[in-house]
Amino acid sequence: MVDVREAITRAHHEEWARVIAALNRRFGDLDIAEEAAAEAFATAVERWPADGVPPNPGAWLTTTANRKAIDRIRRENKRDGKQREARMLYDDNPPEPVDAIEDERLRLIFTCCHPALAMQTRVALTLRMVAGLTVPQIARAFLVQETTMQRRITRAKAKIKAARIPYRVPSAQDLPARVSGVLAVLFLVFNEGYLATGHDTDPVRHDLTAEAIRLTRLVRALLPDDGEVAGLLALMLLTEARRAARVSMSGELVTLAEQDRGVWDAALIAEGHRLVRERLAAGMAPGRYQILAAINAVHTCARDVRDTDWSQVVANYDQLVRLDPSPIITLNRAIAVAELDGPEVALASVDRLEHDLAGYHAYHATRADLLRRLGRSQKSRAAYDKAIELAGNTAESAYLTRRRDQLG
């Protein structure tokens, strides 16, 4: 028997971008495209449990979204020409030329990552419009309030309309100017799959990580000499290689130190290491993704956590901090410093991040672990409590709860 919830989730992932792209081509309005798609999926949630999953969910969603768009245009009666455009939905016109990018989802990502928008804005808008991430998921990725993120996305749409930013597929010459935004989108999509947000979702979403890797491979084929594209692909592969060991049979997150390295995917690790070596051999100054990939290469080279070259990890983080002195990078560096110089030194660095990361669960989880190692059980317990309160994933909450309950 088909699991209706699973079918809707799968359809949302596979069809969201395609439906929006089709509607936007016909209507030329991002708001109409997004809202009609959202209404179609909401209708699916209502009707599929009772009526059953249709034989072709994608076609059902597209047809439903088309009708929702037409209904909205008729209600609002914004433009005389819209009625004619709506009737075109049922024409058998050939699809538009694929230009430089053949994959439809990737085309839409490059199209949304317009350089006229600020980087964070274009990334947030693309995550919502193309990747289908929810506003809470995007807000969590950017460490901001949901209302703040919703306003940011709304302003981006308004700017596109007011400035009449052309919503067109970029040419091959346009790709280098847009690739940084595209990589940021793919990185955040991968992260959402790596540790999914929400207590009612699977803790690890392979559909998202696999799609992010697939699209990054396509970007690499388009821009084979871009070091950051290769770096991001290596980072994803080395992270995905550990997926089978990340969640226990009981549904609890398994940390890197506790993972069974025998179940790591050797083929993905080998490919990731090869990409890292290629970038090192190129002799070019590495970017953010290349350094992160190098850090992961160090971790996946060690057969046991005790064999990890922590001095090399810290050295890579030192280089990364110079490029990206963000609080999260500083937090991750402190975790490595704890292994090299001890928890007391690391805790001093972590405590300086309280103002920036007070709402970030990993900050409190890191403090809790460092305090535990220093024997400060009462303060550790309080930090674990805060981390559990903020954690957005059932597997992570289970792990943190167990660690808290083990305190003396």
Side-chain angles (χ1 to χ4, degrees):
M1 182 174 180
V2 177
D3 186 315
V4 175
R5 177 183 168 190
E6 179 183 346
I8 293 173
T9 301
R10 184 169 62 250
H12 188 281
H13 168 64
E14 294 175 352
E15 302 295 338
W16 177 263
R18 190 182 65 78
V19 171
I20 289 180
L23 293 180
N24 189 69
R25 280 198 301 269
R26 299 299 186 182
F27 294 101
D29 192 308
L30 284 172
D31 284 335
I32 288 177
E34 183 187 25
E35 292 182 18
E39 288 180 15
F41 279 97
T43 303
V45 171
E46 293 177 359
R47 292 179 51 180
W48 289 9
D51 300 345
V53 179
N56 189 336
W60 188 97
L61 289 165
T62 300
T63 300
T64 303
N66 288 341
R67 290 170 180 164
K68 297 290 185 184
I70 292 170
D71 289 344
R72 178 178 173 182
I73 290 169
R74 286 171 175 165
R75 286 196 307 269
E76 296 182 0
N77 195 24
K78 285 184 174 180
R79 305 177 184 91
D80 294 339
K82 286 296 183 180
Q83 294 286 354
R84 291 190 297 274
E85 291 182 29
R87 285 193 291 272
M88 291 173 61
L89 285 166
Y90 300 101
D91 292 345
D92 294 325
N93 293 333
E96 63 184 25
V98 296
D99 297 318
I101 309 169
E102 294 186 6
D103 184 85
E104 185 168 22
R105 184 182 290 267
L106 189 59
R107 281 205 310 275
L108 197 56
I109 292 175
F110 266 100
T111 302
C112 282
C113 286
H114 199 288
L117 300 173
M119 177 61 73
Q120 285 195 343
T121 301
R122 76 180 82 156
V123 171
L125 179 64
T126 308
L127 287 170
R128 183 72 189 97
M129 296 293 298
V130 184
L133 268 61
T134 64
V135 172
Q137 289 170 337
I138 301 170
R140 189 175 181 84
F142 282 89
L143 300 182
V144 299
Q145 296 293 320
E146 293 178 23
T147 52
T148 301
M149 182 52 64
Q150 183 62 65
R151 285 195 298 269
R152 186 177 298 175
I153 293 172
T154 300
R155 284 197 300 268
K157 294 178 182 178
K159 180 175 180 179
I160 289 173
K161 285 186 175 181
R164 296 185 177 180
I165 296 173
Y167 191 81
R168 62 176 179 79
V169 178
S171 65
Q173 291 74 25
D174 295 328
L175 301 187
R178 303 191 182 205
V179 71
S180 58
V182 171
L183 295 184
V185 168
L186 298 178
F187 179 60
L188 291 176
V189 170
F190 182 89
N191 279 352
E192 178 60 28
Y194 171 76
L195 194 61
T197 303
H199 292 282
D200 58 346
T201 62
D202 292 333
V204 177
R205 290 188 57 187
H206 178 54
D207 59 329
L208 290 182
T209 58
E211 179 68 353
I213 290 172
R214 183 186 74 83
L215 293 173
T216 306
R217 288 190 187 280
L218 294 178
V219 178
R220 179 159 165 74
L222 290 169
L223 300 167
D225 297 325
D226 191 302
E228 281 294 80
V229 176
L232 180 57
L233 179 57
L235 172 61
M236 289 180 176
L237 295 174
L238 294 173
T239 305
E240 180 73 0
R242 306 195 299 267
R243 177 170 55 88
R246 293 194 63 246
V247 179
S248 69
M249 294 296 292
S250 62
E252 181 180 314
L253 184 71
V254 182
T255 63
L256 179 62
E258 299 172 322
Q259 287 176 12
D260 178 2
R261 300 185 178 214
V263 301
W264 287 358
D265 190 317
L268 291 181
I269 290 174
E271 185 181 358
H273 285 179
R274 177 180 57 78
L275 288 169
V276 171
R277 288 194 299 270
E278 285 180 3
R279 296 314 309 161
L280 290 173
M284 304 292 289
R288 179 172 182 262
Y289 298 121
Q290 293 170 75
I291 298 173
L292 287 171
I295 292 170
N296 275 265
V298 175
H299 285 305
T300 50
C301 277
R303 294 185 178 182
D304 187 276
V305 67
R306 292 168 295 186
D307 300 326
T308 305
D309 187 346
W310 290 108
S311 62
Q312 189 175 352
V313 173
V314 172
N316 278 315
Y317 271 119
D318 288 341
Q319 190 175 11
L320 184 56
V321 166
R322 289 192 289 271
L323 284 178
D324 180 13
S326 69
I328 291 181
I329 295 299
T330 304
L331 177 68
N332 290 334
R333 179 187 180 278
I335 296 172
V337 166
E339 303 301 326
L340 192 63
D341 299 326
E344 189 77 54
V345 176
L347 183 60
S349 176
V350 170
D351 282 344
R352 289 193 289 270
L353 301 173
E354 181 177 7
H355 175 74
D356 295 310
L357 299 180
Y360 183 41
H361 75 283
Y363 163 76
H364 298 283
T366 301
R367 284 194 76 248
D369 182 64
L370 295 173
L371 290 164
R372 177 191 61 80
R373 292 165 64 178
L374 291 167
R376 304 176 191 174
S377 297
Q378 187 173 355
K379 290 185 176 180
S380 177
R381 181 179 295 276
Y384 273 124
D385 286 341
K386 188 63 176 178
I388 294 167
E389 175 190 333
L390 295 171
N393 182 285
T394 54
E396 200 164 21
S397 296
Y399 164 75
L400 293 169
T401 300
R402 177 175 64 83
R403 297 295 282 175
R404 180 197 62 189
D405 294 346
Q406 288 174 340
L407 291 170

